[in-house]
Amino acid sequence: MSRVVVTGRIPDAAIEKLRAEHDVDAWQGPESIGREELLRRVAGAEAIVSLLTERIDAELLDAAGPQLKVVANVAVGYDNIDVPACTERGVVATNTPGVLTDATADIALSLILMATRRLGEGERLIRSGQAWKWGMFFLLGSGLQGKTLGVVGMGGIGQATARRAKAFGMEIVYQSRSEIDSEIAAELGAQRVDLDELLAVSDVVSLHCPYGPATHHLIGAEQLAAMKSSAYLVNTARGPIVDEAALASALREGQIAGAGLDVYENEPTVHPALLELDNVVLLPHLGSATVETRTAMAMLAAENALALLSGERPPTPIG
Ligand code: GLV
């Protein structure tokens, strides 16, 4: 039996799977585990099952000790983990790709529809109790048919978003580190372009790249200025890919038409200037938030931890 520390609440099925073989210490608090508590609890762990709200860095790995074998993140994004620090210590880090692709693409499409059709504004109007009636020019948005979606980062989630957008009649361009499978590109009619061209031609830009030093503020003042003034920006990836202050001023000045965000630069804080604006839809990081998806993510993280604890290859190691 090994000591397994779970840094936050995850679905019972995954806890039971881990408990069948190991000694599991799972944080049950309604709030996130605090840093001090986490540093104390990880001591002696051979596996850490981590949530994206916890920073897994050298200090934490050292607090765990040299017996630590695996950090299994319950997320596809792993910018909360210092992967080189894990590698230096012989710790394998894993994530949960694949199982949250559809749920996240659904939220990207939801944000595209909410932003372009001004659904948040409409909802707020009714709830505010203000008088309204149907009118020829009342709350007009823009349609998607024949418009161009620019996908930044064409991995699984980018492709799933493109597939949905195509069903809504959109044309697809994408920017990606590598060319995608030619059959998928043909099915989507997707054309690979560089970021400059993508920003210039897209009516909606949707971000699906991982966050890291290479993508910090990938979308800043200059890139926003390069977008069409009728275009929308959607971010379901990670907050710091976008310079939030620059986005707020582009939205305020009408440099772009609108935005839909599920992630924030300093989560859970939202830039106060964004809260003042009507042309941005704000969701509280719901990309993978379905019962089915969260269960699948936790089960996959448990499988990764169990595999490494028994000396086997984990299903989804990072890198
Ligand atoms: C959610 O944001 C994830 O990376 O899984």
Side-chain angles (χ1 to χ4, degrees), residues 113-279:
L113 288 165
M114 288 182 78
T116 56
R117 298 299 299 274
R118 305 176 63 182
L119 303 183
E121 282 177 79
E123 238 264 338
R124 285 194 294 280
L125 179 91
I126 296 230
R127 287 183 188 279
S128 74
Q130 275 181 64
W132 66 276
K133 64 177 169 80
W134 186 92
M136 185 61 94
F137 301 100
F138 177 56
L139 272 186
L140 298 191
S142 33
L144 298 179
Q145 294 72 22
K147 302 281 175 64
T148 298
L149 173 71
V151 178
V152 178
M154 193 65 155
I157 300 172
Q159 290 174 28
T161 302
R163 194 163 290 118
R164 284 157 175 73
K166 185 174 157 59
F168 279 81
M170 298 189 81
E171 311 284 334
I172 313 296
V173 298
Y174 72 97
Q175 182 260 331
S176 205
R177 277 175 302 188
S178 42
E179 193 85 50
I180 60 167
D181 182 276
S182 56
E183 265 176 43
I184 296 175
E187 171 208 329
L188 296 171
Q191 203 196 330
R192 188 171 175 211
V193 295
D194 63 21
L195 185 60
D196 289 345
E197 185 175 347
L198 182 144
L199 294 169
V201 302
S202 297
D203 299 294
V204 177
V205 173
S206 191
L207 305 178
H208 300 285
C209 51
Y211 175 65
T215 55
H216 180 77
H217 286 187
L218 181 71
I219 305 296
E222 196 186 317
Q223 291 70 29
L224 291 160
M227 287 171 64
K228 296 181 185 177
S229 58
S230 55
Y232 296 81
L233 177 71
V234 166
N235 189 6
T236 52
R238 282 292 182 268
I241 298 171
V242 176
D243 177 343
E244 240 168 48
L247 174 62
S249 81
L251 287 167
R252 196 184 318 104
E253 307 303 322
Q255 220 168 42
I256 65 170
L261 306 176
D262 189 41
V263 288
Y264 303 90
E265 230 184 308
N266 299 301
E267 234 168 274
T269 303
V270 177
H271 196 293
L274 292 174
L275 297 172
E276 306 288 312
L277 297 167
D278 252 339
N279 55 349

Side-chain angles (χ1 to χ4, degrees), residues 52 74-77 96 100 237-238 285 288 297:
L52 58 83
V74 190
V76 65
T96 61
L100 45 72
R238 282 292 182 268
H285 204 149
S288 62
M297 290 164 71

